[in-house]
């Protein structure tokens, strides 16, 4: 494996092998496996889980890591091609990223969506331009429309809780005061389809995921016997569901138009997951969310603090699956 950027770049068997390796590293720790190896982590956007779990994972395998958050103790980094750099940024990614890559054995990059041009974000314009500057194994720490580390951790979580391969996963839009990126819903949709699940995207009008995102998931479902469809009807979508995966994202019908986006979401505060949502679901139906989550805005306390919530286990699983990714990238076995 040369890079970990998109689950769709890997054969399904390779994804399953990473999950198997993550379980093995939990059962049989290898504290010297990556001795002498260095992981660089470049965060152009904030993080709690991704940053901490990669540093912890590298340390647990005997390696070390450094973190760069441009503008916070390091130079601000310009990423736009052709920019006239007479503003705050003192360094361009074209110099900064190859320099960072020269110090480490693998580099992770987080670069969120710009949020203005849907076509550019769907094409991963920023992440791909940065990735082209890296001559080492590369890890996507979350890009405009992908978060493979989250997706892999979520797959492991589904396995850990014995969620049936063909079970129903409802990826439900949830309210947030701001339009959030499409990265997690896109990655989770693809992951669940690749796992072979019956996936229902539950969302209000105007918040459909882009056709290219749906098509990618449908191709994965075709490989694995899963299915993908959309619904605006909560009771119908949740009937017999095994998982409600709550996630906030921006209105694709007016992407980049802040005023129209605010108007559309103003009437949607009722999309906060509550216990009553689970009435038509399977008895053992669980709540997933990638975190961070706004309590009583996206998901109510009663759900997050109740027995259905497995969000902390999801977050924990970032550690073992990323250790498997690091092991495969840096040790190659
Ligand atoms: N889920 C996730 O990626 O969390 P962070 O943004 O805190 O890294």
């Amino acid at each position: 494996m040369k890079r970990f950027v998109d689950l769709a770049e890997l054969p399904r068997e390779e994804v399953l092998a990473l999950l198997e390796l993550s379980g093995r590293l939990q059962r049989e720790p290898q504290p010297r496996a990556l001795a002498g190896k260095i992981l660089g982590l470049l965060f152009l956007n904030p993080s709690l889980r991704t940053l901490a779990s990669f540093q912890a994972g590298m340390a647990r395998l005997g390696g070390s890591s450094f973190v760069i958050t441009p503008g916070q103790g390091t130079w601000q980094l310009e990423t736009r091609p052709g920019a006239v750099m007479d503003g705050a940024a003192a360094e361009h990614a074209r110099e900064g990223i190859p320099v960072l890559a020269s110090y480490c054995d693998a580099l992770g990059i987080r670069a969120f969506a710009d949020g203005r041009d849907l076509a550019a974000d769907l094409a991963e314009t920023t992440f791909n331009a940065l990735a082209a500057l890296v001559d080492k194994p590369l890890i996507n720490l979350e890009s405009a429309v992908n978060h493979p580390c989250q997706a892999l951790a979520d797959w492991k979580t589904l396995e850990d809780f014995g969620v049936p391969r063909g079970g129903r996963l409802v990826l439900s839009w949830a309210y947030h005061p701001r339009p959030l990126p499409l990265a997690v819903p896109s990655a989770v949709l693809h992951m669940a389809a690749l796992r072979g699940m019956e996936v229902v995207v539950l969302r209000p009008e105007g918040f459909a995921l882009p056709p290219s995102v749906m098509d990618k998931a449908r191709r994965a479902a075709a490989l694995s016997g899963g299915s993908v469809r959309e619904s605006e009807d909560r009771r119908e979508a949740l009937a017999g569901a095994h998982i409600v995966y709550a996630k906030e994202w921006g209105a694709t019908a007016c992407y980049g138009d802040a005023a129209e986006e605010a108007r559309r979401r103003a009437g949607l505060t009722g999309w906060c997951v509550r216990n009553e949502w689970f009435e038509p679901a399977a008895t053992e139906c669980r709540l997933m969310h990638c975190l961070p989550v706004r309590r009583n805005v996206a998901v109510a306390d009663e759900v997050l603090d109740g027995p259905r919530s497995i969000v902390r286990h999801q977050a924990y699983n970032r550690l073992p699956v990323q250790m498997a990714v690091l092991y495969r990238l840096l040790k190659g076995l």
Side-chain angles (χ1 to χ4, degrees):
M1 197 169 84
K2 296 275 192 294
R3 60 185 215 160
F4 187 72
V5 168
D6 181 351
L7 285 194
E9 285 189 358
L10 305 176
R12 192 172 186 277
E13 297 68 34
E14 178 77 20
V15 178
L16 295 174
L18 283 169
L19 291 168
E20 199 280 325
L21 177 58
S22 71
R24 187 146 45 90
L25 290 172
Q26 279 182 298
R27 292 189 302 277
E28 302 161 18
Q30 294 202 30
R32 302 293 300 156
L34 299 185
K37 300 288 187 186
I38 298 172
L39 172 68
L41 295 163
L42 173 61
F43 283 91
L44 300 177
N45 310 96
S47 169
L48 185 149
R49 279 144 291 274
T50 307
L51 192 160
S53 56
F54 264 109
Q55 288 205 286
M58 201 60 191
R60 284 194 187 281
L61 290 168
S64 56
S65 55
F66 63 80
V67 178
I68 299 291
T69 50
Q72 296 176 36
T74 57
W75 306 115
Q76 283 201 26
L77 204 59
E78 179 60 73
T79 57
R80 292 170 301 161
V84 177
M85 291 177 53
D86 57 359
E91 179 146 26
H92 200 284
R94 292 187 67 80
E95 286 75 47
I97 288 185
V99 168
L100 289 176
S102 74
Y103 299 150
C104 58
D105 299 289
L107 185 67
I109 298 177
R110 169 167 281 197
F112 285 178
D114 184 54
R116 284 187 290 240
D117 179 342
L118 181 58
D121 285 342
L122 288 171
E124 295 282 19
T125 309
T126 301
F127 185 85
N128 286 343
L130 302 180
L133 301 168
V134 181
D135 62 353
K136 297 281 171 67
L138 174 69
I139 304 171
N140 181 350
L141 306 179
E142 187 172 339
S143 57
V145 286
N146 220 323
H147 198 349
C149 298
Q150 185 67 53
L152 193 61
D154 291 343
W155 190 326
K156 183 175 186 319
T157 305
L158 293 167
E159 298 298 326
D160 290 351
F161 280 87
V163 178
R165 295 283 163 89
R168 181 180 288 196
L169 182 146
V170 178
L171 173 61
S172 176
W173 188 86
Y175 181 77
H176 189 282
R178 289 186 296 108
L180 296 193
L182 298 167
V184 170
S186 302
V188 168
L189 172 64
H190 174 264
M191 174 280 295
L194 189 62
R195 188 172 181 262
M197 302 189 77
E198 178 194 353
V199 192
V200 184
V201 182
L202 172 65
R203 81 296 184 274
E205 189 186 346
F207 289 82
L209 293 174
S212 62
V213 170
M214 297 298 296
D215 288 346
K216 179 178 171 181
R218 288 198 175 98
R219 286 194 296 277
L223 279 177
S224 57
S227 64
V228 174
R229 66 180 177 86
E230 297 176 89
S231 177
E232 291 179 31
D233 180 341
R234 187 177 302 151
R235 276 201 86 79
E236 176 277 319
L238 266 69
H242 297 85
I243 295 289
V244 174
Y245 197 116
K247 188 66 193 89
E248 316 84 338
W249 67 83
T252 45
C254 57
Y255 199 82
D257 180 343
E260 175 60 13
E261 159 74 36
R263 191 193 66 74
R264 282 179 184 257
R265 70 179 49 242
L268 299 173
T269 53
W271 286 70
C272 174
V273 182
R274 301 188 180 282
N275 276 339
E276 68 192 36
W277 282 38
F278 292 86
E279 282 166 14
T283 316
E284 69 279 16
C285 183
R286 307 279 189 165
L287 179 278
M288 295 178 74
H289 189 287
C290 64
L291 304 183
V293 64
R294 289 188 180 228
R295 281 176 169 256
N296 306 308
V297 172
V299 184
D301 281 346
E302 65 191 19
V303 182
L304 284 167
D305 296 331
R308 293 191 187 279
S309 175
I310 55 175
V311 299
R312 289 189 208 161
H313 192 89
Q314 273 179 271
Y316 165 72
N317 270 341
R318 295 291 301 276
L319 179 63
V321 301
Q322 290 163 191
M323 286 169 65
V325 168
L326 291 167
Y327 192 99
R328 199 72 92 207
L329 284 174
L330 293 172
K331 214 167 162 63
L333 301 174

